[in-house]
Amino acid sequence: MATLGVNIDHVATVRQARRTIEPDPIWAAAAAELGGADAITVHLREDRRHIQDRDLDLLKQTVQVKLNLESAITPAMTAIACRVKPDQVTLVPENRAEVTTEGGLDVVGQREAVAIAVGQLQDAGITVSLFIDPDPDQIEASAALNVAAVELHTGSYANASSEAARDHELQALARAATLIRQAGLTLNAGHGLTYRNVVPVAELEGMHELNIGHSIVARAIFTGMTTAVREMKALISG
Ligand code: PXP
């Protein structure tokens, strides 16, 4: 049974469309908790396109479940994370031009920069997770950094254009999941997961936490956040 981290970034996206005070992601977090969210996830992007510093500070004070901050590997972001001290930081690649996070972190290529951020965050008492593609080299490099967890990027699975391609990507996720378990790391996953494609990922052996945002917020427009979270939670809990 996987746990559910609800990413509320896109509630803030709607607010920022008018640069006003509503809808407030703090309300979204409370409603998600009522629906059974095990964690609240936000990505404080460098361009502040959705979540703002004020949101992170208030979420730290009000969220009663786990708070997971997605963060780029920059000194400025690491300093914010060390000050706010969320329960978990998930390190992600960040590129200003992208619509959403594209691809996993290159832990192999950026080993030194990742190691510095991991060390500073762990010294601050924060659990660190690395968002990586289902690639054995990236898993090995992550394990060598002594992080507690990795989050497998499920984008290729979610975007597969045929049943065969989807099965192929699911097998890659399953192989990666085995390697992650064997390395003694906590197994998380996310990106592009929806009510229609989530179950096979939730059923991967050892799956701990799924971080899901866009699909839940999209459904919440029609059903309300609490119901949307409850429905996703029911799917991933089997
Ligand atoms: N996990 C990570 C590391 C992400 O960057 C994102 C997108 O912010 C998600 C999960 C959630 O992706 P989606 O909004 O497609 O559910």
Side-chain angles (χ1 to χ4, degrees), residues 58-80:
L58 287 177
L59 289 168
K60 168 66 184 178
Q61 293 170 49
T62 57
V63 166
Q64 294 179 27
V65 292
K66 174 174 161 182
L67 179 61
N68 174 37
L69 172 66
E70 294 176 3
S71 170
I73 301 172
T74 65
M77 275 310 307
T78 302
I80 290 171

Side-chain angles (χ1 to χ4, degrees), residues 10-227:
H10 294 309
V11 175
T13 300
V14 175
R15 178 191 60 192
Q16 294 313 109
R18 288 291 175 93
R19 304 226 189 304
T20 176
I21 58 169
E22 64 182 3
D24 194 327
I26 314 307
W27 289 30
E33 284 191 38
L34 285 173
D38 300 291
I40 299 298
T41 296
V42 290
H43 186 177
L44 184 67
R45 295 186 73 103
E46 288 185 279
D47 63 9
R48 304 297 195 269
R49 69 172 73 155
H50 38 54
I51 293 294
Q52 306 295 306
D53 296 69
R54 163 264 186 207
D55 301 329
L56 180 61
D57 285 333
L58 287 177
L59 289 168
K60 168 66 184 178
Q61 293 170 49
T62 57
V63 166
Q64 294 179 27
V65 292
K66 174 174 161 182
L67 179 61
N68 174 37
L69 172 66
E70 294 176 3
S71 170
I73 301 172
T74 65
M77 275 310 307
T78 302
I80 290 171
C82 289
R83 173 180 65 77
V84 175
K85 292 190 172 44
D87 303 286
Q88 175 173 287
V89 166
T90 301
L91 293 175
V92 298
E94 201 175 297
N95 159 7
R96 276 175 185 262
E98 68 194 358
V99 174
T100 182
T101 313
E102 290 168 359
L105 196 61
D106 182 8
V107 186
V108 176
Q110 292 186 279
R111 196 181 300 252
E112 235 166 83
V114 179
I116 290 169
V118 168
Q120 290 174 346
L121 293 164
Q122 288 180 336
D123 285 350
I126 300 166
T127 298
V128 180
S129 178
L130 303 179
F131 183 54
I132 57 170
D133 289 325
D135 170 346
D137 292 340
Q138 299 294 346
I139 295 166
E140 193 185 331
S142 300
L145 291 179
N146 285 320
V147 291
V150 294
E151 179 174 332
L152 279 180
H153 192 316
T154 51
S156 299
Y157 162 79
N159 296 330
S161 53
S162 68
E163 191 102 333
R166 204 180 82 132
D167 282 352
H168 179 78
E169 296 299 339
L170 186 61
Q171 280 169 30
L173 289 171
R175 283 194 299 274
T178 302
L179 293 176
I180 290 163
R181 283 199 319 276
Q182 286 170 350
L185 301 175
T186 297
L187 170 64
N188 302 330
H191 208 285
L193 296 176
T194 69
Y195 294 83
R196 290 190 177 81
N197 68 20
V198 74
V199 170
V201 178
E203 286 176 347
L204 290 174
E205 197 181 335
M207 185 55 67
H208 175 62
E209 177 180 286
L210 296 177
N211 282 300
I212 308 177
H214 188 269
S215 189
I216 291 176
V217 173
R219 181 171 292 212
I221 290 170
F222 302 103
T223 67
M225 179 61 91
T226 301
T227 299

